[in-house]
Amino acid sequence: MPSGLAAKEKGRLMTNLREKYGEWGIVLGATEGVGEAFCKKLAEGGMNLVMVGRREELLREKGEKFHEEYGVDYKVVRADLSCPDEACEAVFSATEGLDMGFMSYVACLHHFGKFQHTSLEDHEKMVNVNVISFLRMFHHFMNIFAAQDRGAVINVSSMTGISSSPWNAEYGAGKAYILKLTEAVACECEKTGVDVEVCTLGTTLTPTAMKNFPKGPAGEQVVKLALTPDEVADEAFEKLGKEFSIITGERNKKSVHDWKANHTEDEYIRYMGSFYADQD
Ligand SMILES: NC(=O)c1ccc[n+]([C@@H]2O[C@H](COP(=O)([O-])OP(=O)(O)OC[C@H]3O[C@@H](n4cnc5c(N)ncnc54)[C@H](OP(=O)(O)O)[C@@H]3O)[C@@H](O)[C@H]2O)c1
């Protein structure tokens, strides 16, 4: 167990999250990276975890670690969010009867290449993960949280959802959907007991992203400026209940503000496209 100031800080967070929001939190896309970092925050805050992903064994290992370190319970739900009917059935039945107080939609799906070179089947798979399953999960848990007037949501978007994302267009469009839907819902429940936030990420050192970083000097520069999943989680939870929509990291915030203030939309779109233009 931690000692001194760290223990005090952990104790404070522990009272806050569980007492404020409820016993259980669900993270959709919990296996590694940002989802895992969010689970750690919930566990530090004393909340039990519903961990959703496809790699059941790995989720179980991580859940066991949280149980040992923080004394929280955990449930693993193996679900593929590209199949919304089956995924929703698995998640809704696993959480029925639990005192749910938190949800976060973290999972995403990319496919690099020009729009028309990506098969319609792959586009629909991305829409299923990035839009349909997200919508159904968010709607389901918002109904629960609104009825009890208690709960919290942190959904994860991307700077590509602000700029758009040439050569990864479907992904950027899905992230824009998550961003705009969550921002509006956050405002709708401002004066209630439900806190909703959307967290827009720039490059973050997650295992998936590290496989997809652009090659060459542009990629090296991106990696140098990237945040860790823990840094993202710290900022996201610190701002929960205070802001509707955050861009994680000072550099990312400045970059978006600079592009919006000093460049045209087309320049921003071209800039984002420049990272992946060779991926077709
Ligand atoms: N990393 C970055 O640079 C970056 C930049 C901007 C925005 N973001 C956003 O940050 C979030 C996390 O990014 P990431 O790179 O860590 O994403 P990721 O690896 O695709 O997703 C994180 C987790 O989601 C699970 N997952 C993925 N697809 C799933 C599916 N079809 N069904 C169920 N679970 C699934 C994965 O576990 P399993 O493999 O076990 O299913 C993984 O643990 C995403 O919303 C992304 O858009 C990331």
Side-chain angles (χ1 to χ4, degrees):
M1 284 298 283
S3 60
L5 267 182
K8 253 190 194 164
E9 177 56 24
K10 252 183 191 179
R12 191 183 61 75
L13 197 59
M14 189 160 283
T15 328
N16 278 351
L17 292 181
R18 188 178 180 122
E19 283 188 0
K20 190 167 182 190
Y21 297 125
E23 286 182 24
W24 288 83
I26 183 166
V27 177
L28 297 128
T31 320
E32 58 192 11
V34 173
E36 183 181 359
F38 279 14
C39 285
K40 189 166 139 203
K41 280 282 174 197
L42 296 179
E44 282 174 6
M47 290 185 93
N48 300 323
L49 307 168
V50 182
M51 302 170 74
V52 182
R54 293 159 301 180
R55 285 171 291 169
E56 198 171 356
E57 270 312 298
L58 192 52
L59 281 167
R60 233 168 256 297
E61 261 174 47
K62 307 257 167 117
E64 204 47 45
K65 267 197 349 213
F66 291 127
H67 173 66
E68 280 166 20
E69 192 167 347
Y70 301 99
V72 297
D73 288 336
Y74 71 93
K75 270 188 174 210
V76 165
V77 181
R78 201 196 66 75
D80 183 347
L81 295 159
S82 68
C83 306
D85 291 346
E86 293 84 343
C88 287
E89 200 186 315
V91 166
F92 298 166
S93 64
T95 52
E96 204 180 343
L98 299 182
D99 175 25
M100 295 304 298
F102 178 91
M103 87 144 248
S104 178
Y105 199 91
V106 181
C108 69
L109 186 61
H110 310 81
H111 193 103
F112 293 104
K114 278 187 184 160
F115 169 73
Q116 67 279 10
H117 294 171
T118 298
S119 70
L120 199 53
E121 197 186 355
D122 283 339
H123 277 291
E124 286 177 356
K125 214 169 160 190
M126 285 186 273
V127 171
N128 280 341
V129 177
N130 302 333
V131 178
I132 303 294
S133 288
F134 158 70
L135 167 64
R136 292 189 193 175
M137 300 291 179
F138 188 26
H139 193 261
H140 177 81
F141 288 105
M142 276 306 298
N143 267 308
I144 293 170
F145 298 162
Q148 64 196 19
D149 195 28
R150 166 178 53 80
V153 176
I154 302 178
N155 291 324
V156 179
S157 183
S158 156
M159 282 162 72
T160 61
I162 298 174
S163 59
S164 85
S165 188
W167 286 275
N168 190 15
E170 188 66 63
Y171 168 77
K175 292 280 118 180
Y177 178 81
I178 291 174
L179 177 63
K180 290 299 145 190
L181 191 72
T182 310
E183 283 177 344
V185 174
C187 182
E188 287 171 8
C189 47
E190 184 173 23
K191 293 185 173 67
T192 74
V194 184
D195 293 329
V196 176
E197 174 193 302
V198 60
C199 171
T200 295
L201 273 53
T203 309
T204 307
L205 298 170
T206 64
T208 303
M210 283 157 82
K211 284 180 221 145
N212 292 318
F213 282 155
K215 308 284 175 281
E220 283 162 27
Q221 183 63 8
V222 166
V223 173
K224 246 199 278 177
L225 305 180
L227 298 184
T228 65
D230 283 335
E231 286 172 323
V232 165
D234 283 346
E235 190 172 354
F237 278 80
E238 203 272 313
K239 304 256 171 79
L240 181 61
K242 298 176 187 154
E243 294 182 28
F244 302 149
S245 184
I246 68 163
I247 298 169
T248 51
E250 283 313 306
R251 259 177 218 280
N252 292 330
K253 280 189 244 312
K254 282 203 183 94
S255 161
V256 170
H257 295 154
D258 174 65
W259 277 103
K260 284 191 165 179
N262 301 315
H263 300 268
T264 65
E265 298 290 347
D266 288 7
E267 283 168 344
Y268 197 13
I269 297 162
R270 256 186 226 112
Y271 167 73
M272 291 307 262
S274 70
F275 290 103
Y276 293 108
D278 60 349
Q279 301 248 349
D280 203 28

